[in-house]
Amino acid sequence: MRAVTWTGVNEVSVETVPDPTILNARDVILRVRRTTTCGSDLHLLGGYIPAMRTGDVLGHEFMGEVVEVGPGVRDRRVGDRVVVNSFIACGACWYCRQELYSLCDNGNPNPGITEGLWGQSPGGCFGYSHAMGGFAGSHAEYVRVPYADVGSFLVPEEVSDDRALFASDAVSTGWMGADLAGTKPGDTVAVWGAGGVGQMAARAAMLLGAEQVYVVDRLPERLEQVRRHVGAEVIDYSTTDVMAELRERTGGRGPDVCIEAVGMEAHSTGVQGVYDQVKQQLRLQTDRPSAVREAIMACRKGGSVFVLGVFAGPVDKFPLGAAMNKGLTLRGAQVHGQRYMPRILEHMARGELTTEHLATHVMPLEDAARGYRMFKDKEDGCVRAVFLPHG
Ligand SMILES: NC(=O)c1ccc[n+]([C@@H]2O[C@H](COP(=O)([O-])OP(=O)(O)OC[C@H]3O[C@@H](n4cnc5c(N)ncnc54)[C@H](O)[C@@H]3O)[C@@H](O)[C@H]2O)c1
Ligand SMILES: [Zn+2]
Ligand SMILES: [Zn+2]
């Protein structure tokens, strides 16, 4: 079959690779109908995530049709139209029973690398390096889905492929951030980053009852999407002092909930940004955390900061004093999507959660190198490149 493979830093190539087969009883094989790029892929592409090998198949956000079912699968049938969560979880271990699916003890068959980095290993993820399990990704004609009863969800008839696709990762991640940050009716929520993840965190906050929701970014076409399709207010950090603006709009108090959806390659306008970039390039720090710093500084006393953006290692100038003295709750996680996908699909079916606008560039799988380039450089207003493996 044809698949998008990683061939080196900032290089992908469409190659012929072996078809996936059922390896374990609880696997299904999916014929991929839609698969999209995610901000997390950019960190892989940039060589910031360890343990990629040439030839690894990329992609973790996808939906499709079941074409083969392992003997231990209970709920899936050939022909089912499903959307699959990006993280792989067994559904039965201690973490899965707490609904902390991305921490699954069985999802990552190769835990040694992340245990070395972080003390313990999170679960596995499709197409996300050997550190995250070495699973082949979804930018391919077919993909093997382990623990299919746990990770795949039937798409309701009313929900199109284009809409369902983003339940896989962007929406479930955004929803998790808004939920686990403790968003309550009446809250003010600020989100950093107007990519797919930030936009969906903002939408989830609204559906959870937040009264005022702000999204911070600098790319005009993304801020326009936030206004038009999400219905949140926007702050352009390239022209506005974000902290002062948020303070002013919240009667001097600051947002109750701050969600960071930018990650380790954050852009920054000031001296701090240059400092972070140089240190990252010299490998003196692995990540550029400017949006996390700003979220901590902007958050109201006693508020909650949730880090959705992906980070890999230690960071410099982390405002721990602000977090401690302001009594903040600071959390982060990879997506526990299995917990939210049924509710997300219901909102999608009712038309309360729309995602089609994120798919700014739809193309055949064969054009993936062009899609990745556009997505990386945010060229032509690209928010997500969506690949159609079967035309
Ligand atoms: N936790 C998870 O499970 C999970 C899942 C999916 C994605 N992610 C992560 O979420 C992050 C966002 O993903 P995405 O797909 O939306 O990415 P994206 O690259 O499309 O969007 C990132 C946005 O952040 C903006 N940005 C950069 N610097 C900023 C700053 N200082 N302040 C405000 N905005 C800034 C960029 O302009 C861009 O619009 C990435 O780090 C990705 O790895 C995490
Ligand atoms: Zn992702
Ligand atoms: Zn588990």
Side-chain angles (χ1 to χ4, degrees):
M1 66 167 184
R2 302 291 281 165
V4 182
T5 62
W6 187 80
T7 44
V9 172
N10 290 331
E11 276 175 35
V12 303
S13 142
V14 182
E15 308 281 349
T16 299
V17 303
D19 285 352
T21 53
I22 301 273
L23 294 182
N24 295 307
R26 296 171 65 189
D27 294 348
V28 305
I29 303 295
L30 202 74
R31 181 177 188 271
V32 180
R33 281 162 60 149
R34 299 268 187 294
T35 180
T36 178
T37 57
C38 164
S40 301
D41 295 319
L42 296 180
H43 314 321
L44 274 185
L45 208 64
Y48 297 113
I49 304 283
M52 280 303 281
R53 294 187 199 143
T54 300
D56 284 349
V57 178
L58 294 166
H60 59 264
E61 181 150 29
F62 60 104
M63 58 81 58
E65 187 185 326
V66 175
V67 291
E68 211 183 322
V69 179
V73 174
R74 214 180 39 232
D75 299 334
R76 292 284 84 87
R77 305 278 171 272
V78 169
D80 282 354
R81 186 169 71 109
V82 295
V83 54
V84 179
N85 193 251
S86 51
F87 262 76
I88 296 166
C90 76
C93 72
W94 188 87
Y95 289 99
C96 285
R97 291 200 309 274
Q98 318 300 310
E99 295 189 294
L100 300 171
Y101 293 99
S102 71
L103 305 178
C104 174
D105 265 338
N106 298 312
N108 184 349
N110 186 16
I113 299 170
T114 45
E115 277 173 6
L117 273 174
W118 303 323
Q120 290 178 318
S121 169
C125 181
F126 291 95
Y128 216 73
S129 88
H130 295 268
M132 291 298 201
F135 293 95
S138 61
H139 294 343
E141 290 178 82
Y142 297 91
V143 63
R144 178 176 76 93
V145 178
Y147 304 118
D149 286 326
V150 182
S152 70
F153 295 83
L154 281 179
V155 179
E157 231 167 76
E158 312 87 291
V159 180
S160 67
D161 288 2
D162 297 319
R163 184 172 294 182
L165 166 64
F166 296 100
S168 179
D169 190 65
V171 187
S172 45
T173 301
W175 199 288
M176 173 186 73
D179 179 47
L180 297 188
T183 306
K184 293 186 304 300
D187 274 356
T188 297
V189 176
V191 179
W192 277 256
V197 174
Q199 290 195 30
M200 291 303 125
R203 187 66 198 146
M206 293 169 76
L207 290 167
L208 289 169
E211 204 169 284
Q212 286 178 295
V213 179
Y214 300 101
V215 179
V216 182
D217 205 304
R218 75 179 189 290
L219 301 174
E221 57 284 353
R222 291 182 176 216
L223 294 175
E224 182 52 30
Q225 285 201 336
V226 171
R227 269 192 224 100
R228 174 128 41 110
H229 299 284
V230 177
E233 295 184 53
V234 302
I235 298 176
D236 178 347
Y237 73 84
S238 67
T239 57
T240 314
D241 177 340
V242 176
M243 286 202 24
E245 185 72 18
L246 283 172
R247 195 147 300 172
E248 179 160 332
R249 294 201 204 184
T250 52
R253 201 159 64 186
D256 304 292
V257 168
C258 292
I259 300 174
E260 191 271 3
V262 177
M264 65 202 287
E265 293 175 77
H267 162 267
S268 171
T269 43
V271 177
Q272 189 81 76
V274 178
Y275 170 90
D276 281 331
Q277 190 122 20
V278 169
K279 287 204 82 169
Q280 190 178 41
Q281 271 157 18
L282 294 175
R283 298 293 188 254
L284 292 171
Q285 71 174 350
T286 53
D287 308 79
R288 304 201 299 261
S290 51
V292 180
R293 291 189 192 115
E294 194 165 67
I296 289 173
M297 298 304 286
C299 194
R300 77 153 162 82
K301 291 183 281 183
S304 169
V305 174
F306 203 97
V307 180
L308 287 175
V310 165
F311 289 85
V315 297
D316 279 0
K317 301 204 168 7
F318 182 76
L320 185 57
M324 184 270 157
N325 286 288
K326 285 166 69 182
L328 301 183
T329 300
L330 183 60
R331 275 185 93 168
Q334 298 280 9
V335 62
H336 305 310
Q338 289 82 345
R339 176 167 173 171
Y340 301 107
M341 285 168 75
R343 176 170 181 184
I344 288 168
L345 288 165
E346 282 171 25
H347 282 293
M348 285 180 160
R350 288 200 293 269
E352 294 156 357
L353 189 48
T354 57
T355 56
E356 293 85 336
H357 65 279
L358 299 175
T360 50
H361 295 77
V362 181
M363 60 192 74
L365 189 75
E366 290 298 324
D367 291 349
R370 177 172 67 90
Y372 264 99
R373 210 167 39 244
M374 296 185 80
F375 177 54
K376 180 175 166 46
D377 300 336
K378 319 293 189 224
E379 208 180 294
D380 188 33
C382 185
V383 176
R384 287 292 171 100
V386 173
F387 307 135
L388 308 176
H390 301 275

